[in-house]
Amino acid sequence: MTLIATEARIELRERYALSGILLYVLSAAFIVFSIWKELPPKEWGLTFWVIFLFCSLMAVLKTFGRESEGRYFYFYTLYHPLELFLAKAIYNLGLLFFIFLILWGTLTLMAGNQIIRFSWFLITGGLASLGLAFLLTLITSIAIKTQQSASLTSILALPLMIPLLLNMLRLTAYATGITPDDNPWNEFSMLSGIISLVVGLSLWLFPYLWRS
Amino acid sequence: MILLLYVFIAGWLVPLKPGIIQVTPERAEAGQIVELEVTGYNSNYTKDQGEVRAWLRLAGDTVIQAREVQVMDDRHLTCSFYIPSAFPVRQEAYPLSLILDHTSDGTSVLPNALFITPAKVQDENEAALWFSDKVTSVHEQSGIRFPFRNILSETIRNTYFHVPLWFAMIILFGVSAWYSLQYYRGGQIDLDRKTVALVKVGLLFGVLGLVTGMLWAKNTWNAYWSWDVKQNMSAIALLIYAAMMVMRASLEDDMQKARLTAGYNMFAFALLIPLLFIIPRMTDSLHPGSGGNPAFGGEDLDNTMRMVFYPAVIGFILLGLWISQLVYRTEKLK
């Protein structure tokens, strides 16, 4: 618990990091929509998630880079690795959900809102944040051990994100009402199945990967 | 090796059963006499000319027999049918299958060979004509032949290469994930070499599986890559494993390399299962086995094909394990 608070405090102290992410979100949205101006629902959802994916990559990338080696050693003696991982992942979850809301707001302002079923889009956003937060936290913790951690995070994480992305797109299609399908539970259970797999595996593997 | 040699020889050389490639015309109106020109494949129509019989089948026992069959040469014959002006069921169009029976070639079928549009004047009495003929005493073709499938034709041989390659890849990745688990439980650094050797060979098999699949797709779906969900997912699966090799290349310390590989490998294999087996089944796909059907239904393999297919599967799996053993040993010698 205190660790989550610490994470947040560090992040807030270095305000440029957070505002950097915000700027990234805004400029990405701006670039995309100055090209298209107006988007039909399907493309709207697609653009939304593509921007979201890259923003989340940017945001989570900093998770492990921030602290020095010495600090990690200190943490390692103080906490169980699981606590550390959970703190980071939950903090990232909050961050991603925040990005999700900001992005949604931005797109609504600039390109109009295409979402009909608000609660379902919120659920999709929450699930996406959860899955991506755990997946990216784990992958960053692997990539940080290498020399070019930034590029390696994207190489390792992007293909792993695709099964999540596909289901997110399908749920978004339901939320925008462009599918004739009236039953989103199938996609929902599929997405939450994959996410629970990701969460379980990352919790299981992180203490082991973190040992060095 | 002997298994594979057998697979290659049998897979390439066993001829296909006779089949029907095409029929002209493809559509006709009911209540008229239709002259069908049939083009055969691997057929010997000139042998026992008088014995060729032909039927058009609507469904089940609803058939009409050809009034006359004339053989032109080994590959071509014409048969004339009288299509009754009334049908026992009412549809907007009637797809008919052509059935040919020959003493030495056996039976061959072309589904949906002819489309019939309803006649303008219908004589309800003629509907009974559909039941006067029966497909009886058909001949079995003897000898070892692979079945002739419409569209597939000769590419049916790819079943012995494309499918076993994927099976072998899954097995290789699975075994490597198992070794990773062993390493995770406190194994030796040696296990890491085994893991990596298996993943390397698995990647090779995956690429080969993708290439054979693309060749097959070119022949049946008319494009090497049609952004089918199955193609996409398998390409992504290969990307995941390729990323793992990139990760290994950028690490210095051997112990760290081994640990991170083991962790990532288990993670990747766990995500591979929904990627390859669950998601493609939930969406529409051109690939057999999608939309809830298993890939191997009763009609896909006949007994002659099984005689080659099962050895092919076993042979490719053993080949994969053997190559990875070699890779592992050369790594160890270094």
Side-chain angles (χ1 to χ4, degrees):
Chain A
M1 267 304 112
T2 47
L3 267 178
I4 304 176
T6 321
E7 275 294 311
R9 223 178 305 128
I10 294 171
E11 190 79 37
L12 285 178
R13 203 184 301 147
E14 295 169 8
R15 209 160 294 152
Y16 71 92
L18 199 60
S19 47
I21 295 165
L22 274 180
L23 266 181
Y24 191 86
V25 174
L26 285 178
S27 50
F30 201 81
I31 290 170
V32 170
F33 284 94
S34 58
I35 297 169
W36 267 306
K37 306 260 179 352
E38 229 167 83
L39 280 179
K42 196 178 172 202
E43 282 74 16
W44 191 93
L46 191 71
T47 320
F48 182 93
W49 287 113
V50 169
I51 298 176
F52 182 73
L53 270 193
F54 282 96
C55 291
S56 59
L57 257 178
M58 280 292 291
V60 178
L61 211 60
K62 290 201 233 21
T63 315
F64 286 97
R66 223 165 22 224
E67 285 109 345
S68 62
E69 281 283 317
R71 180 101 68 98
Y72 277 125
F73 198 68
Y74 174 62
F75 276 150
Y76 191 74
T77 53
L78 221 52
Y79 301 100
H80 190 267
L82 259 188
E83 290 176 56
L84 188 68
F85 179 75
L86 269 179
K88 299 253 184 210
I90 290 173
Y91 171 72
N92 282 333
L93 164 65
L95 186 63
L96 290 192
F97 197 66
F98 177 65
I99 292 177
F100 170 79
L101 291 178
I102 292 284
L103 188 58
W104 192 7
T106 316
L107 291 203
T108 308
L109 264 179
M110 286 156 70
N113 188 26
Q114 306 282 1
I115 303 296
I116 298 168
R117 301 176 169 104
F118 280 88
S119 54
W120 270 103
F121 196 57
L122 268 180
I123 289 173
T124 316
L127 279 177
S129 312
L130 178 69
L132 289 182
F134 275 80
L135 185 104
L136 286 173
T137 312
L138 182 77
I139 296 297
T140 330
S141 80
I142 292 178
I144 202 73
K145 306 271 168 62
T146 63
Q147 274 90 41
Q148 334 87 347
S149 58
S151 61
L152 207 71
T153 308
S154 358
I155 295 174
L156 289 176
L158 276 176
L160 288 174
M161 281 149 98
I162 287 173
L164 285 175
L165 178 71
L166 283 177
N167 280 291
M168 272 139 54
L169 279 176
R170 236 173 271 154
L171 269 180
T172 312
Y174 176 74
T176 45
I178 52 172
T179 47
D181 190 9
D182 254 352
N183 178 20
W185 291 105
N186 209 353
E187 276 84 24
F188 176 77
S189 55
M190 181 76 201
L191 184 59
S192 35
I194 296 181
I195 285 173
S196 48
L197 191 74
V198 167
V199 171
L201 275 174
S202 51
L203 286 181
W204 176 52
L205 286 174
F206 182 78
Y208 169 72
L209 292 170
W210 194 237
R211 234 185 291 159
S212 57
Chain B
M1 290 315 285
I2 294 168
L3 274 178
L4 277 182
L5 208 63
Y6 160 70
V7 166
F8 270 87
I9 292 173
W12 291 114
L13 294 184
V14 170
L16 293 185
K17 275 182 188 161
I20 307 167
I21 296 179
Q22 65 161 354
V23 163
T24 45
E26 284 180 339
R27 30 189 91 242
E29 202 177 313
Q32 289 172 348
I33 292 179
V34 181
E35 294 272 338
L36 280 184
E37 275 184 41
V38 180
T39 314
Y41 187 84
N42 277 0
S43 50
N44 308 293
Y45 295 142
T46 44
K47 219 195 265 174
D48 307 319
Q49 290 200 17
E51 299 290 314
V52 186
R53 292 175 298 162
W55 294 271
L56 281 175
R57 169 165 28 200
L58 182 64
D61 258 351
T62 325
V63 292
I64 40 168
Q65 191 167 0
R67 294 139 54 105
E68 199 188 352
V69 178
Q70 247 188 343
V71 176
M72 287 169 349
D73 56 40
D74 261 351
R75 297 284 182 267
H76 296 92
L77 53 80
T78 49
C79 34
S80 70
F81 291 94
Y82 174 70
I83 314 282
S85 59
F87 288 82
V89 285
R90 259 182 206 289
Q91 282 164 238
E92 280 179 17
Y94 303 88
L96 300 180
S97 308
L98 178 70
I99 305 174
L100 274 185
D101 181 56
H102 187 262
T103 42
S104 59
D105 281 354
T107 341
S108 38
V109 181
L110 181 68
N112 302 335
L114 187 66
F115 284 89
I116 302 291
T117 42
K120 292 186 184 74
V121 187
Q122 297 189 358
D123 182 0
E124 291 301 328
N125 296 329
E126 285 187 4
L129 283 176
W130 284 101
F131 301 103
S132 57
D133 300 321
K134 293 272 180 300
V135 183
T136 45
S137 64
V138 292
H139 297 87
E140 275 287 318
Q141 210 252 350
S142 55
I144 297 173
R145 294 288 186 93
F146 295 144
F148 178 90
R149 292 259 180 273
N150 204 20
I151 303 176
L152 284 181
S153 63
E154 291 282 352
T155 63
I156 201 166
R157 301 174 197 281
N158 206 348
T159 319
Y160 310 128
F161 306 102
H162 174 68
V163 185
L165 276 168
W166 285 111
F167 281 9
M169 186 202 76
I170 292 293
I171 298 280
L172 289 173
F173 283 160
V175 175
S176 85
W178 171 252
Y179 279 143
S180 287
L181 186 67
Q182 295 294 314
Y183 184 76
Y184 168 82
R185 288 206 187 128
Q188 302 299 312
I189 190 87
D190 205 35
L191 281 168
D192 178 56
R193 288 200 202 97
K194 285 186 184 169
T195 310
V196 176
L198 283 163
V199 168
K200 276 180 186 163
V201 181
L203 259 176
L204 174 71
F205 273 40
V207 171
L208 287 177
L210 206 61
V211 169
T212 49
M214 277 165 73
L215 289 175
W216 212 353
K218 179 65 185 170
N219 284 295
T220 51
W221 308 342
N222 204 21
Y224 289 113
W225 199 268
S226 44
W227 297 105
D228 186 70
V229 63
K230 197 94 171 179
Q231 291 178 322
N232 292 343
M233 292 303 122
S234 34
I236 290 164
L238 293 184
L239 276 185
I240 293 176
Y241 278 94
M244 190 169 105
M245 302 316 288
V246 174
M247 180 190 78
R248 281 182 65 83
S250 65
L251 282 167
E252 297 279 314
D253 182 31
D254 270 353
M255 290 305 280
Q256 203 171 39
K257 213 184 242 186
R259 181 165 39 242
L260 294 184
T261 307
Y264 187 77
N265 192 23
M266 285 186 273
F267 200 68
F269 188 71
L271 280 182
L272 192 69
I273 292 166
L275 209 56
L276 289 185
F277 297 107
I278 300 173
I279 294 180
R281 264 163 218 207
M282 289 181 62
T283 45
D284 297 326
S285 166
L286 297 165
H287 196 279
S290 310
N293 317 315
F296 287 99
E299 285 203 359
D300 290 344
L301 288 173
D302 76 344
N303 284 330
T304 324
M305 289 187 72
R306 285 201 181 91
M307 272 163 50
V308 184
F309 180 70
Y310 293 137
V313 171
I314 298 166
F316 272 110
I317 290 172
L318 290 181
L319 181 74
L321 293 174
W322 179 62
I323 298 178
S324 56
Q325 273 288 313
L326 292 185
V327 174
Y328 156 68
R329 283 185 196 157
T330 40
E331 272 304 305
K332 202 176 177 185
L333 281 177
K334 279 181 199 163

